[in-house]
Amino acid sequence: DAGVTQSPTHLIKTRGQQVTLRCSPKSGHDTVSWYQQALGQGPQFIFQYYEEEERQRGNFPDRFSGHQFPNYSSELNVNALLLGDSALYLCASTLLGGSSYNEQFFGPGTRLTVL
Amino acid sequence: QQQVKQSPQSLIVQKGGIPIINCAYENTAFDYFPWYQQFPGKGPALLIAIRPDVSEKKEGRFTISFNKSAKQFSLHIMDSQPGDSATYFCAAINSGGYQKVTFGTGTKLQVIP
């Protein structure tokens, strides 16, 4: 089991550009969440995808959008990049459902640098 | 709004010492409290977790203490080792909601040989 995988590992963009980050969930998981981790900070929740729909969204502007595919993999898109978007973007997956909480597993992240 | 407050920001201990990291939360809807360990260049990895109906949980050298009335919880690392040097995040989750993880601000731990 490869766990949660993310691509690319690193990315450098300039202000105003658009970027797409990709995530493959852990085998057997159906839910993907995205987090932004600025340097020296804790991860901040961006949004969560389940059954190909956005279920919940954190305090992020509409420049941040996502998609989930039928195989449960997901993409995070950021438009009109700002310097402040430079961060580690983490993907987490879990199996949703039932009355109990199922652990979320995090990927290694994509380091985005905006110049 | 910082819903989970964590302290200290950084911590240096000698090998064998017992670092303690403290967290406090505000939202009483939180009912699951994990701790994550993160090494440079890696994603957070679950270390140990507790529910508020339990006051203490031990797994190996890691212990969580939980005070529901004070809305505080802490992580103790027994017999700390240089390999424990990492950033530690407390977190809180409303398992009945959308289950997003609300993280603390992190504690950078350095264990000196």
Side-chain angles (χ1 to χ4, degrees):
Chain A
D1 184 3
V4 180
T5 60
Q6 293 185 241
S7 64
T9 304
H10 296 87
L11 206 50
I12 299 175
K13 292 286 188 178
T14 56
R15 281 178 297 175
Q17 285 189 313
Q18 178 265 344
V19 68
T20 297
L21 311 181
R22 296 176 176 81
C23 171
S24 291
K26 185 177 171 65
S27 177
H29 287 182
D30 60 5
T31 302
V32 171
S33 299
W34 287 91
Y35 293 80
Q36 180 195 64
Q37 185 176 20
L39 199 62
Q41 301 294 318
Q44 298 291 314
F45 176 78
I46 302 175
F47 42 52
Q48 182 184 83
Y49 276 85
Y50 172 68
E51 292 187 339
E52 302 180 48
E53 291 193 358
E54 183 182 298
R55 295 181 74 239
Q56 190 186 26
R57 189 179 187 90
N59 189 24
F60 281 81
D62 292 344
R63 298 187 298 109
F64 289 77
S65 63
H67 188 76
Q68 186 179 34
F69 299 93
N71 67 352
Y72 307 118
S73 67
S74 177
E75 288 182 349
L76 165 65
N77 300 292
V78 187
N79 295 321
L81 284 168
L82 303 173
L83 295 179
D85 295 332
S86 295
L88 180 68
Y89 288 85
L90 296 162
C91 170
S93 73
T94 188
L95 178 64
L96 207 64
S99 59
S100 63
Y101 172 77
N102 291 318
E103 207 55 63
Q104 296 191 38
F105 292 81
F106 284 82
T110 293
R111 172 70 64 186
L112 172 64
T113 301
V114 182
L115 302 177
Chain B
Q1 180 185 8
Q2 184 62 45
Q3 294 195 51
V4 180
K5 297 181 179 179
Q6 183 173 347
S7 63
Q9 188 174 5
S10 63
L11 196 51
I12 301 175
V13 299
Q14 295 277 352
K15 177 184 174 182
I18 306 176
I20 301 173
I21 304 171
N22 299 299
C23 286
Y25 63 98
E26 301 166 1
N27 188 347
T28 55
F30 291 142
D31 61 354
Y32 188 75
F33 300 88
W35 285 86
Y36 291 89
Q37 180 188 57
Q38 186 176 30
F39 293 103
K42 304 291 186 182
L46 178 68
L47 200 58
I48 185 174
I50 196 169
R51 292 195 179 274
D53 54 347
V54 176
S55 61
E56 185 176 277
K57 183 175 181 179
K58 293 182 180 181
E59 285 188 4
R61 296 185 293 107
F62 301 93
T63 299
I64 301 177
S65 298
F66 194 91
N67 185 330
K68 185 176 180 179
S69 60
K71 294 188 286 185
Q72 295 175 347
F73 57 110
S74 61
L75 176 71
H76 296 63
I77 305 176
M78 306 302 177
D79 187 27
S80 59
Q81 302 295 315
D84 296 329
S85 297
T87 299
Y88 292 81
F89 293 96
C90 62
I93 297 165
N94 175 2
S95 65
Y98 290 101
Q99 302 185 2
K100 72 172 186 178
V101 183
T102 300
F103 285 87
T105 49
T107 296
K108 187 172 184 179
L109 171 66
Q110 184 179 358
V111 181
I112 301 171

